[in-house]
């Protein structure tokens, strides 16, 4: 019978090893055997804590995107919910566009079916956006849209990643956010929101270290997202 460690430190070790390897090598470029070797655990221990590497990737994605939303919610509480969702998406796009390794990881994970309950995981990852869709569409239509969007991500993200050298960041932001949120707002209105969010992003100091990011508003935007006098 396999012996494995159930300690929290072991779980953290596996998780941090995956974060490091996924960032450096990409999801597709990180073999299960390499994770076991570099974390120093056996298959039973890994399976006990995470089951498979896809589950670890989902947790990394959820936490990473969630932190961008949390930062926006904390710094711009007077902005409307949909405006905050657009801003968080713009920050996420900026981070990926500026870091090829991050973009590779999110592109590769998007192209995989990460588990059997993709819709629930997608709703959890984009919880702010899902809440907004529910308030506008109702639960049933929001679920239908998010089911379609979770499939869209498998093609849209790799498509943008492959064209990152010929598409500007601004174009990537407009294309992706319009694709995900086009059923919420009129296209012209949504495009104006994206332009406003891009202006705020230009004033954010971004310090990136792998999956760890520090964001600082250095231009003095108010809590409602407008420049301070």
């Amino acid at each position: 019978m396999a012996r494995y460690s159930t300690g929290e430190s072991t779980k953290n070790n596996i998780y941090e090893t995956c974060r490091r390897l996924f960032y450096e090598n990409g999801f597709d470029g990180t073999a299960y055997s390499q994770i076991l070797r570099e974390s120093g655990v056996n298959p039973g221990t890994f399976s006990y804590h995470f089951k498979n590497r896809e589950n670890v990737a989902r947790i990394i994605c959820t936490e990473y995107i969630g932190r961008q939303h949390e930062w926006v919610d904390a710094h711009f509480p007077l902005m409307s919910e949909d405006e905050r969702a657009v801003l968080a998406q713009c920050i996420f796009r900026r981070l990926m566009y500026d870091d090829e390794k991050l973009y590779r990881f999110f592109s590769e994970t998007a192209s995989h079916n990460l588990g059997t309950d993709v819709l629930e995981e997608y709703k959890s990852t984009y919880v702010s956006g899902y809440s907004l869709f529910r308030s506008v569409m109702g639960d049933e239509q929001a679920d239908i849209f998010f089911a379609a969007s979770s499939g869209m991500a498998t093609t849209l993200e790799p498509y943008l990643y492959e064209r990152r050298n010929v598409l500007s960041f601004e174009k990537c932001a407009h294309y992706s956010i319009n694709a995900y949120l086009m059923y919420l707002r009129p296209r012209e209105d949504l495009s104006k929101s994206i332009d406003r969010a891009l202006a705020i992003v230009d004033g954010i100091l971004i310090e990136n270290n792998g999956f760890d990011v520090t964001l600082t508003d250095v231009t003095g935007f108010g809590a409602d997202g407008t420049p301070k006098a």
Side-chain angles (χ1 to χ4, degrees):
M1 188 172 182
R3 294 177 61 84
Y4 45 77
S5 171
T6 61
E8 192 68 21
S9 62
T10 299
K11 182 177 181 179
N12 290 338
N13 173 46
I14 296 170
Y15 183 65
E16 291 304 321
T17 299
C18 287
R19 275 171 43 105
R20 174 172 56 82
L21 293 175
F22 287 161
Y23 178 76
E24 291 298 330
N25 305 326
F27 179 77
D28 292 342
T30 300
Y32 178 57
S33 59
Q34 185 181 12
I35 296 172
L36 297 181
R37 183 174 64 254
E38 298 206 17
S39 62
V41 302
N42 59 38
T45 296
F46 185 95
S47 179
Y48 174 83
H49 289 293
F50 293 106
K51 188 176 180 179
N52 53 49
R53 68 189 186 114
E54 286 82 5
N55 281 341
V56 185
R58 282 194 298 173
I59 295 171
I60 292 172
C61 290
T62 300
E63 290 187 347
Y64 188 85
I65 295 171
R67 285 197 296 271
Q68 318 316 321
H69 283 276
E70 289 172 2
W71 188 87
V72 169
D73 290 344
H75 286 78
F76 301 99
L78 299 184
M79 291 177 66
S80 65
E81 187 175 12
D82 56 338
E83 293 284 349
R84 293 200 306 271
V86 169
L87 177 55
Q89 276 290 313
C90 281
I91 292 173
F92 178 52
R93 291 285 152 194
R94 179 80 268 178
L95 288 162
M96 286 199 299
Y97 194 85
D98 289 346
D99 189 327
E100 195 273 339
K101 291 181 179 180
L102 276 179
Y103 216 157
R104 175 185 60 190
F105 170 78
F106 283 104
S107 172
E108 289 174 349
T109 54
S111 67
H112 288 267
N113 183 350
L114 301 180
T116 58
D117 204 353
V118 177
L119 176 58
E120 289 305 315
E121 188 64 35
Y122 193 71
K123 286 155 57 176
S124 174
T125 301
Y126 296 96
V127 62
S128 178
Y130 178 63
S131 174
L132 181 60
F133 273 84
R134 288 179 62 195
S135 68
V136 174
M137 298 178 168
D139 292 357
E140 184 176 64
Q141 289 188 57
D143 278 356
I144 291 172
F145 175 82
F146 263 70
S149 293
S150 64
M152 184 196 316
T154 66
T155 54
L156 177 60
E157 301 303 346
Y159 177 89
L160 292 174
Y161 173 70
E162 291 168 1
R163 289 157 181 79
R164 65 193 180 284
N165 293 325
V166 295
L167 290 176
S168 68
F169 160 62
E170 289 77 14
K171 283 186 177 181
C172 281
H174 273 274
Y175 289 158
S176 60
I177 297 171
N178 267 295
Y180 287 118
L181 301 180
M182 60 186 174
Y183 295 114
L184 271 183
R185 307 263 296 278
R187 190 176 189 87
E188 182 178 348
D189 186 35
L190 180 56
S191 292
K192 290 179 180 178
S193 292
I194 297 171
D195 285 335
R196 286 193 294 270
L198 289 174
I200 296 175
V201 172
D202 283 342
I204 296 174
L205 175 63
I206 299 176
E207 298 176 83
N208 185 49
N209 181 23
F211 289 111
D212 297 315
V213 177
T214 301
L215 302 172
T216 307
D217 178 9
V218 297
T219 57
F221 283 92
D224 60 352
T226 60
K228 293 180 180 178

